[in-house]
Amino acid sequence: MKCLTISLLAIAFASAALAQQQTNPIPAGAGATAPSDGPNLSVARLGKDDLIGISVYDAPELTRTVRVDDDGNIRLPMVQQHIKAAGLLPVELENSITTALVDEHVLVSPVVTVSVVEYHSRPITVVGAVKNPTTFQATGNVTLLEAITRAGGLTENAGAEIEVGHLASSANGKSVDLTERIPVHSLMNEADPAANMKLEGGETIRVPQAGQVFVVGNVKHPGPFLITNDSESSVLKALAIAGGLDSFSSNTAYIYRIDDSSGRKNEIPIPIKKILSRKSPDVPIYGNDMLYVPSANGQRVSAKALGMVTGIGLGIAFLLVYAL
């Protein structure tokens, strides 16, 4: 009986010891206390104005949230040096903080954890012909298509290309502005992986509105019309949108176009009747072109009349059309 009592007491003491170990697990480092749970966003390199959480085991005076300053550094109490944070991953910043604490004899063997609370250094801005222009922070893997989706998608008058502007380093180390043009057709219709580029933050995505072609003169429905894909627009398509030629139209029409680089105004004669009868090839037409079809007697309307018909104003009409 005495031996049984001793055995039961031994089992009870062993169970109590096991329960104590499960309740108070051995800390990860000497004298460490468990860090508090906090927000930890997708891992990305840090930048200016980012808010980060720093947890140092068993050192509540060092555990805090700090913001990366304009120079890309952070400061900690009892640490004289500025600790560089910009351009580092959170795990790399953990090593830098650990080294600084040891070098300045603040702690012997610190255990440091860095988490990202808020990103402010990686904005992506989407403007132009989108339903809801927006700016958001790039966290995780962000693609061009996702950025367009966050802006509500493209509007009906979106142009044929999307412009993605971002900063890049040149050979001399200076930052230069670069703009990449992505065809909407490749991104939306063909789902081309090369068009759906990855965004790193700092990009400005601009979706220009579609160009307009102004069809005036002896057509059934003159006016401005949107061109959603400049490379596939032509005189025949413009005439189809305008309802075709009216009676007594001339055999020759004219495209008025301004050269973007020189500002020079050009008049391009078009054998419109031959194009319609398939005796002459179709002619491409581009955004902001004016297609003018004179009457059969060769009389042309004035710049003022064209400005009133197209709604583009007298000043622009004078640039596009030669005076009689």
Side-chain angles (χ1 to χ4, degrees):
M1 185 69 180
K2 184 176 181 181
C3 292
L4 178 60
T5 302
I6 294 174
S7 299
L8 291 174
L9 289 174
I11 293 173
F13 282 122
S15 300
L18 179 61
Q20 180 68 20
Q21 289 178 353
Q22 292 176 343
T23 304
N24 299 308
I26 298 174
T33 57
S36 58
D37 293 333
N40 194 6
L41 303 179
S42 301
V43 175
R45 296 196 179 276
L46 301 169
K48 294 186 295 184
D49 206 34
D50 286 344
L51 185 65
I52 58 177
I54 300 174
S55 176
V56 183
Y57 287 10
D58 205 28
E61 68 279 7
L62 297 173
T63 299
R64 61 190 56 227
T65 57
V66 296
R67 192 173 297 278
V68 182
D69 63 24
D70 291 338
D71 295 325
N73 302 320
I74 62 171
R75 296 295 305 272
L76 289 178
M78 299 181 290
V79 177
Q80 294 184 358
Q81 62 182 283
H82 295 236
I83 303 174
K84 181 175 178 56
L88 300 181
L89 293 170
V91 65
E92 295 172 335
L93 182 57
E94 290 175 358
N95 295 332
S96 297
I97 295 173
T98 298
T99 300
L101 292 174
V102 172
D103 289 347
E104 298 196 17
H105 308 289
V106 178
L107 293 174
V108 176
S109 181
V111 179
V112 180
T113 302
V114 172
S115 61
V116 181
V117 180
E118 295 174 357
Y119 277 115
H120 289 274
S121 62
R122 307 173 68 224
I124 295 176
T125 301
V126 187
V127 296
V130 292
K131 295 179 181 178
N132 302 303
T134 184
T135 298
F136 63 94
Q137 293 293 320
T139 56
N141 295 322
V142 181
T143 63
L144 177 58
L145 189 57
E146 180 182 348
I148 296 295
T149 302
R150 290 197 185 195
L154 302 179
T155 60
E156 293 181 356
N157 63 340
E161 291 183 329
I162 299 172
E163 299 176 357
V164 182
H166 59 92
L167 291 177
S169 298
S170 61
N172 57 9
K174 295 183 178 180
S175 296
V176 293
D177 291 319
L178 294 181
T179 299
E180 298 184 52
R181 289 175 170 82
I182 307 298
V184 171
H185 182 77
S186 298
L187 179 65
M188 298 296 186
N189 299 339
E190 298 180 355
D192 184 0
N196 192 24
M197 59 188 300
K198 182 180 178 182
L199 305 176
E200 302 291 342
E203 293 89 355
T204 298
I205 300 167
R206 180 177 173 269
V207 184
Q209 291 187 353
Q212 286 184 313
V213 57
F214 303 91
V215 184
V216 294
N218 282 265
V219 294
K220 294 181 180 178
H221 305 292
F225 303 98
L226 288 177
I227 298 179
T228 56
N229 193 327
D230 291 351
S231 62
E232 297 180 1
S233 300
S234 67
V235 168
L236 280 179
K237 288 187 177 182
L239 286 177
I241 295 174
L245 294 178
D246 204 349
S247 302
F248 308 109
S249 60
S250 173
N251 292 331
T252 302
Y254 300 89
I255 293 176
Y256 296 99
R257 181 178 299 157
I258 295 181
D259 189 301
D260 292 336
S261 58
S262 65
R264 179 182 178 183
K265 50 185 178 294
N266 300 313
E267 181 184 67
I268 306 169
I270 302 296
I272 192 121
K273 291 291 183 68
K274 289 185 177 181
I275 292 175
L276 288 171
S277 61
R278 301 179 65 181
K279 295 180 180 179
S280 183
D282 196 5
V283 176
I285 196 167
Y286 304 100
N288 296 322
D289 280 356
M290 177 185 288
L291 176 62
Y292 170 50
V293 183
S295 61
N297 59 15
Q299 182 179 1
R300 301 193 200 180
V301 297
S302 66
K304 180 177 180 180
L306 286 178
M308 293 174 64
V309 171
T310 61
I312 61 176
L314 181 59
I316 299 178
F318 269 122
L319 292 175
L320 293 174
V321 183
Y322 295 103
L324 294 177

